[in-house]
Amino acid sequence: MTRAHTSPPSAARTPCGTLREAHVGQDVTLKGWVNRRRDLGGLVFFDLRDRSGLVQVVVEPGSGAFGTAERLRSEFVVEVTGRVRARPEGQRSDRLQTGAVEVVARGVTVLSEAKTPPFLVDGSVDAGEVSEELRLKYRYLDLRRPEALRPLLVRHKVIKAIWDFLDAEGFVQVETPLLTLSTPEGARDFVVPSRTQPGSFYALPQSPQLFKQLLMMAGVERYFQIARCFRDEDLRADRQPDFTQLDLEMSFVTQDELLDLNERLMRAVAKAALGIDLTLPFTRLTYEDAMNRFGSDKPDVRFALELQDLSETFAETDFRGFRGVLEAGGRVKALPLTAEHAAELSRKRLGELEAHAKTHGAKGMAWLRREGDGFAGPIAKFLSAAETAELAAHAPETGDLLLIVADAWRVACEALGAVRARLGHELGLIPGGTYRFLWVVDFPLLERDDETGGYTYMHHPFTRPREEDLPLLETDPGRVRAWAYDLVLNGFEVGGGSLRIYDQATQLKMFAALGISEREARERFGFFVDALAYGAPPHGGVAWGLDRLVMLFAGAQSLRDVIAFPKNQRGGDPLTGAPAPLSAAQLAELSLSVTAADGTTAEARGGGGA
Amino acid sequence: MTRAHTSPPSAARTPCGTLREAHVGQDVTLKGWVNRRRDLGGLVFFDLRDRSGLVQVVVEPGSGAFGTAERLRSEFVVEVTGRVRARPEGQRSDRLQTGAVEVVARGVTVLSEAKTPPFLVDGSVDAGEVSEELRLKYRYLDLRRPEALRPLLVRHKVIKAIWDFLDAEGFVQVETPLLTLSTPEGARDFVVPSRTQPGSFYALPQSPQLFKQLLMMAGVERYFQIARCFRDEDLRADRQPDFTQLDLEMSFVTQDELLDLNERLMRAVAKAALGIDLTLPFTRLTYEDAMNRFGSDKPDVRFALELQDLSETFAETDFRGFRGVLEAGGRVKALPLTAEHAAELSRKRLGELEAHAKTHGAKGMAWLRREGDGFAGPIAKFLSAAETAELAAHAPETGDLLLIVADAWRVACEALGAVRARLGHELGLIPGGTYRFLWVVDFPLLERDDETGGYTYMHHPFTRPREEDLPLLETDPGRVRAWAYDLVLNGFEVGGGSLRIYDQATQLKMFAALGISEREARERFGFFVDALAYGAPPHGGVAWGLDRLVMLFAGAQSLRDVIAFPKNQRGGDPLTGAPAPLSAAQLAELSLSVTAADGTTAEARGGGGA
């Protein structure tokens, strides 16, 4: 009979980055990676790196560790025993937090050797000099750079703070299914073939929307989840096929209570992750105000530049371009710039800004520059005396500039909003290290689909219309406002949500407004429509884009920087090589065959049925 | 310009289940579901239910709320305002925690009506009387039963405790990819077709095994994740196609340190979820001891019944059945039962137990019953005097029984272990409310595959062999012990893990022992084999089966009871109807077609390429 084997305990280990002058004279055991070795004046020096940071190790020629130290190379994993001593005055380093001390090694043991890595991770090379594809292929090396690991640590702190806050507020974390039915977010689903039911597929969830609403109907009352979500969309620079959201839902709650809870949650998160104190409540802007003032439904309010509406001024204009727009119900919007900022805008740059406005839908962008009592610029000649006088209030000083777009209201706002955002960056108007949260509320429930002429939802088909606007749903759907809100940080949407419809009749009316018949609704969401008939509580919720939030908190440049093993912009994983072809046997087991790009059907290669 | 709409705050709400005599005289607002209405003596009574529990509401005929109250039906969602009063002495209820009080309603508002539910959830019908398929189809109703919701609350507490403990211990939660490459756990993968790379598929992870090891190589040092995992296996009663594990990995750690950390974690979890104090350290049994003594590598040690080894006793036996087994290297194992227990076992039940042993691989099960100085039973006539004398020590009293299996060591152990487990239940030997954890350690690294005659891993191909056994890997692989351990609770494996191989040469030797050539290894796990060459720290970890653990903690009968929206035993979701067929357009977009069961290829129905 054998005795249970007891492995020897490892010697107590000191984290490299924690050593300070207070430790001088102490014997320590360190374990980590050789960051870089330098041989100097007969001694061997190397920086040892672990998750906590770096410390300098010195090995003297007389030491028994010297032979081992001499053959150390970058990224070897070693155990070092030795004594902490103060560095001589002139040799202190400000580069390291441990720069006042070094460890004189008594023993050095190689735990693991390392080949020369494909790129240096010792801080001597800027990550930007290495192609991202290479860094992702060797992500396990890339993450050894403290700057690369930091966003993952911020992410951990954010999620921990979420758990702590919501647990204390009585929220229950519930995991919702990942193998489920197509959900109605409107993007393309990733699907998973069922082996046992040939021809049937699960869908990976685009969000837990229906399940969290069902949990409210189940009486969970307060739910949250750090939820993995999947959308098979065409990838932009700033998207991943799978992403993470904080998903949250509450019963018996008003919009104000939901916003208040989210604000307090965000304050706790910002405190834990960044150590900053956010001021509550956050500013609340209506969708209409946000568009009118900032030309965006996710305005960056870190700088003050605001749009003006000149429609009244130009009500009687002789300029046909503006008059036509106004007569068609459009607006004349302007972005006023002070002479100081305007001075930086050459004709060439104005041309670039107009091009930028055009990519956001405007047909053109005019400009007027204050000169003496009047204005210069291509359309100055159309100005009447009265118009000039009114405009002067918007551009009081010589050199002040008005950038003007006349178009349908939303186009005029968004085009100038895009110009505003660009100028914010280019004119250096954005203060660093500032976190400006705000809510955008009172969104329209529906918006017109320019292609079909029908209506589509702005948030999703489960958003509750404002009660007083309900009659409009059948007569003038575009005017119905929603109990919907977005949370905006520094010009990025970091969250969004709504109160939900909680009765079957309104839900079916909403589907009808979207052009979905009751029959189709029952086919696609029958189980959900049914559920509404068995006593659904009033409820609402929110989802935060966690990747985006962590990106902003960590000061990272890309969503890929806040994900441990991200996909590249083609949806591939350079590390593992995913996705990859299946074997013929696997395909046969799934009762699938791959059709060629030209639409013909390839034969199932190889045997074995399911 | 509109002002941001401010919805009125909801009146402060009191949770129903919290009302006690101390609240008598207070005005309260309650919101919840009508559990059941009773009209009695001209009054309307109903129990109002929310997540916190139930309270009785009474509506008097004079009250303005009476008309509304009269039309309330089960599962209506209502808001009640009223005053708490003590119930008269004789009308107090022990059934409810709020049974000393009731709320006299001043106002009742219907927030949501409800159709008659397909089954009652008011506690009057036992869940067992409703088919599980129906309960899953209406899971949002099923979860309104407090007993059904409870496992989800336990689950929340377990996960919160895990976060708190591991965060304090310096662990970093990292999310690993869900769209990835086939992983080597050996089960079948669920796959996800790539739309943009026709013929290529992602795999859903069977576990984050390789990624967590890569995180160690990345220097994360301490990682955890509440990880969703996927295995497309044939479903048994107690399996789900997707499941949740606590996944954990540490660098620079010994087995003892890992076990110790896990024990302290489990103590924190048991305290938070159950309020119980576990005694540390847990018992540690070698695999060999666990098999020899309990006939199982996940023994239930809540009861004492232990196996004996009678091989020495029968070394010279005349009984050919035993002698053949012993000569072939097998063992004669016995499970001794006291006369008291044996008295419950009729011939018929002994036959059933033998059949049970046979389903666990035994060719038969003999028995010997002590009678006076000798033994009765089918093989008693073969016993020599010396054998009888030795056996008497194992069955000292008249009526004592020996159940005997002679077979290959593992078969003999496991067959009697199965009989032991069954008798533990049938003889009522298992105390209720007891949580007996133990570790099984010193597993063999490999086991022989009876079909192929080759070796296969007992844990997975990344498990580190014991250093002193390394030379055996090439000469006698079956004798190599592993740095592997399982965590067992009440006869269930709730966790398992190992120290990992952290050098490329040993990893390739391990693959070779498994019959995987270096070329094949590089094809399948090339990125991982490569990573081992760049400085991998010694590391190890564990995974807990979270669903199973919560099931045991919550006293639930099935994994389905601890999952909010589980699949049925055919892998389907009775609620949503998943999985479901795709449209022809979706299939075409994925460049897939479904082949018929007979192997022929169906045409891609309908148009539109990717």
Side-chain angles (χ1 to χ4, degrees), chain A residues 1 6-7 10 51 112 144 156 167 170 175-176 179 201-202 217 228 244 256-257 289 536 567 571 580 593, chain B residues 1 6-7 10 51 112 144 156 167 170 175-176 179 201-202 217 228 244 256-257 289 536 567 571 580 593:
Chain A
M1 197 172 278
T6 300
S7 50
S10 70
R51 202 179 88 193
S112 212
R144 290 185 192 168
H156 168 86
D167 176 71
E175 292 148 77
T176 54
L179 296 173
F201 294 73
Y202 302 97
M217 301 176 206
R228 303 288 286 267
T244 302
D256 277 350
E257 288 166 332
D289 282 354
K567 303 288 186 293
S593 68
Chain B
M1 197 173 277
T6 301
S7 50
S10 72
R51 202 179 88 193
S112 211
R144 291 184 192 168
H156 168 86
D167 176 71
E175 292 148 77
T176 53
L179 296 174
F201 293 73
Y202 302 96
M217 301 177 204
R228 303 287 287 268
T244 302
D256 276 350
E257 288 167 331
D289 281 355
K567 303 288 187 293
S593 68

Side-chain angles (χ1 to χ4, degrees), chain A residues 216-217 251-252 464 500-506 529-539, chain B residues 31-34 48 68 71-80 108-115 144:
Chain A
M216 294 304 104
M217 301 176 206
S251 292
F252 306 116
R464 194 192 307 171
R500 325 296 186 189
I501 297 166
Y502 62 102
D503 72 287
Q504 201 179 62
T506 306
V529 173
D530 282 349
L532 287 168
Y534 290 107
H539 62 287
Chain B
K31 296 182 188 183
W33 284 259
V34 173
L48 193 65
T68 305
R71 66 179 193 88
L72 293 182
R73 293 168 54 193
S74 291
E75 302 311 315
F76 273 34
V77 184
V78 298
E79 173 173 339
V80 172
V108 175
T109 310
V110 174
L111 301 176
S112 211
E113 303 198 349
K115 291 201 300 188
R144 291 184 192 168

